[in-house]
Amino acid sequence: MSQITRREWAAGMVMTALAASACKREPERPKPQPLDISQYQPKSMLHVKETQVQRSRFPVIDFHTHLTWGNPAGDSVRVPMQPDEILAVMDRKNIRLMVNLTGGYDKAFEQAIATFQTPHPERFMVFTQPWFNRIVEPGYPKFQADELDRAHKAGAKGLKVLKTLGLVLREQVDKGSLVKVDDPRFDPMWEAAGALKMPVAIHTSDPEAFFLPIDRFNERFEELNAHPDWSFHGKDYPSDRELQEARFRVLARHPRTQFVVLHVGDSENLAYISEALDRYPNMHVEFGARIGELGRQPRTARKFFDKHQDRILFGTDAVPHGVDTPQQIFCDQLYEIYYRFLETDDEYFDYAPAPVPPQGRWRIYGIELPEAILRKVYWENAARLLGLNPNPPKA
Ligand SMILES: [Zn+2]
């Protein structure tokens, strides 16, 4: 008995000594293999529900697409995909109407109308754009207001303003100071849009991360690293908040004009946008290319949709053959992702048809909107602004 005890005691001493020496020894870990972050494509191991939403539950107006691009001179328009090819996708995905925002101006605009709206008036609407490079000319304010009237007579259903205003347009070509979003030279144009009942689709500023250094703390590092020209950090760029506030001053100054703030305005800060919607009755929002933001804050987003259900429009920012922006490539899969986000409670899925999430390495969650809100977001809210029947036509 005492021998066994002694043996056990001796064994215990040996183990203790081994453990002590193990503590002192450097742990032998295999050297981690280096991995370029751009090569990293982790596959989720979650076993969760995956819902295929081939068609939207109700007919859709896609309020934010780019089917044409007018050139600065206003004399020609680029058409990356012909209407027939686009219509085939629309029919499969239950899209009754697409709004082509970038119709350009002058002759280019007339071509855009002739290509899409004239042959298919029930399926396409074309917006016109301001003739920005004429801003330095004397008499521009009246000229631009008259141009809007002329475009309206030629078929323009609304006015689109790119983020160019505030971030690119300068007093002289490529130099001079940036023209402010609330520059009074545009006041007659905003007023004319209101008088003509043309909604204004306005894109101001960009993701908040685009205004920060492109470094390891930037949540959109890979996107900005691949496209450094998308950054508005430093130089003489205004801050995101300054741009947002300038746009709100325009909304306040032109209460009879209906504004659709594209990309939710500031999709990272829904509390800020929600307050603005409370303050400006002529404000609406559209969420093209921002389901990656809405879907990673699904509870906040769902409350936002509940509260502002009469002022939110469906849009994708779709671009036929878009290369740099997988989250915007016009295709069946793009719409299936949007529908899945709006209609299901699926968890942790990709917000873009791409092997790596292109706007940031996260995934999204569905917000499962009820039927009444879906009808408003898919159709009714846009129909009201565009002067269409509140009930979608039968396919
Ligand atoms: Zn766009």
Side-chain angles (χ1 to χ4, degrees):
M1 206 52 188
S2 65
Q3 269 188 338
I4 294 165
T5 306
R6 209 162 22 240
R7 203 182 300 138
E8 280 177 350
W9 175 81
M13 286 304 285
V14 170
M15 291 303 288
T16 306
L18 277 173
S21 67
C23 273
K24 280 180 209 140
R25 223 186 296 140
E26 279 296 305
E28 278 179 28
R29 275 196 238 103
K31 231 179 157 209
Q33 53 169 323
L35 175 62
D36 186 333
I37 191 171
S38 66
Q39 302 302 307
Y40 188 46
Q41 296 183 14
K43 302 269 178 275
S44 169
M45 292 296 109
L46 285 183
H47 296 246
V48 287
K49 180 166 65 76
E50 285 181 40
T51 314
Q52 288 272 326
V53 190
Q54 302 276 356
R55 284 171 72 80
S56 56
R57 203 177 312 163
F58 307 107
V60 165
I61 296 173
D62 187 342
F63 189 82
H64 186 169
T65 73
H66 300 285
L67 307 182
T68 63
W69 296 95
N71 68 340
D75 55 13
S76 79
V77 77
R78 197 158 53 82
V79 182
M81 194 181 277
Q82 290 305 309
D84 284 352
E85 209 179 324
I86 292 168
L87 282 163
V89 176
M90 290 170 71
D91 290 343
R92 284 198 295 273
K93 298 295 125 187
N94 206 14
I95 304 156
R96 289 298 304 160
L97 179 78
M98 278 176 83
V99 179
N100 170 33
L101 293 181
T102 36
Y105 41 80
D106 206 30
K107 296 275 174 296
F109 174 73
E110 286 163 24
Q111 281 177 37
I113 288 277
T115 309
F116 285 97
Q117 197 172 295
T118 306
H120 309 281
E122 318 239 283
R123 308 303 300 277
F124 297 107
M125 283 188 173
V126 181
F127 277 28
T128 187
Q129 294 170 263
W131 201 317
F132 275 147
N133 58 6
R134 289 201 169 194
I135 185 155
V136 290
E137 294 176 14
Y140 175 79
K142 184 175 184 312
F143 163 80
Q144 186 56 71
D146 292 348
E147 269 302 297
L148 200 61
D149 190 52
R150 209 168 69 84
H152 182 253
K153 289 194 176 86
K157 303 293 184 187
L159 173 69
K160 154 76 171 174
V161 178
L162 292 166
K163 69 180 172 195
T164 304
L165 180 58
L167 286 170
V168 182
L169 183 65
R170 291 178 183 274
E171 293 293 343
Q172 297 157 55
V173 180
D174 296 330
K175 49 185 183 162
S177 55
L178 286 160
V179 175
K180 300 256 191 313
V181 176
D182 58 342
D183 190 296
R185 283 172 286 184
F186 293 111
D187 282 342
M189 174 183 79
W190 306 127
E191 277 302 301
L196 295 164
K197 295 203 174 358
M198 294 167 78
V200 177
I202 184 165
H203 176 179
T204 307
S205 193
D206 246 351
E208 290 193 19
F210 286 16
F211 294 81
L212 299 173
I214 308 174
D215 61 16
R216 66 197 171 106
F217 301 110
N218 194 311
E219 69 172 357
R220 298 173 80 131
F221 172 81
E222 287 175 280
E223 187 184 29
L224 288 166
N225 202 34
H227 308 281
D229 54 314
W230 294 2
S231 169
F232 300 111
H233 171 66
K235 297 185 191 157
D236 64 340
Y237 292 119
S239 68
D240 166 60
R241 189 49 73 96
E242 283 169 329
L243 291 161
Q244 303 277 354
E245 291 295 315
R247 180 205 45 224
F248 287 141
R249 285 194 291 276
V250 173
L251 267 67
R253 225 150 62 198
H254 305 282
R256 291 183 314 146
T257 308
Q258 301 301 315
F259 290 86
V260 179
V261 170
L262 302 176
H263 307 300
V264 205
D266 183 348
S267 53
E268 294 96 330
N269 193 345
L270 294 180
Y272 175 59
I273 295 301
S274 182
E275 261 175 46
L277 281 159
D278 289 339
R279 207 172 324 128
Y280 308 109
N282 57 334
M283 173 177 168
H284 314 259
V285 295
E286 171 277 346
F287 51 80
R290 292 297 181 274
I291 57 167
E293 302 303 325
L294 299 176
R296 64 170 165 151
Q297 46 180 329
R299 288 182 285 273
T300 306
R302 175 57 199 271
K303 284 185 200 131
F304 183 83
F305 274 80
D306 281 341
K307 181 162 187 218
H308 303 291
Q309 55 185 274
D310 295 310
R311 317 262 291 277
I312 303 174
L313 280 62
F314 179 94
T316 57
D317 206 0
V319 180
H321 306 304
V323 181
D324 283 340
T325 49
Q327 68 275 9
Q328 290 173 243
I329 297 175
F330 176 75
C331 63
D332 290 64
Q333 213 189 334
L334 182 73
Y335 288 94
E336 289 166 21
I337 295 171
Y338 274 74
Y339 301 161
R340 189 180 182 194
F341 164 64
L342 295 169
E343 296 186 21
T344 79
D345 63 350
D346 281 7
E347 297 173 293
Y348 201 67
F349 55 93
D350 283 319
Y351 57 78
V356 171
Q359 295 170 295
R361 281 182 181 262
W362 51 79
R363 288 184 168 82
I364 64 168
Y365 306 81
I367 56 171
E368 205 184 10
L369 292 176
E371 197 176 305
I373 300 183
L374 279 178
R375 285 184 192 275
K376 291 177 179 182
V377 169
Y378 276 150
W379 184 273
E380 292 167 17
N381 295 341
R384 197 165 50 243
L385 288 176
L386 296 168
L388 295 170
N389 194 308
N391 298 310
K394 295 272 176 287

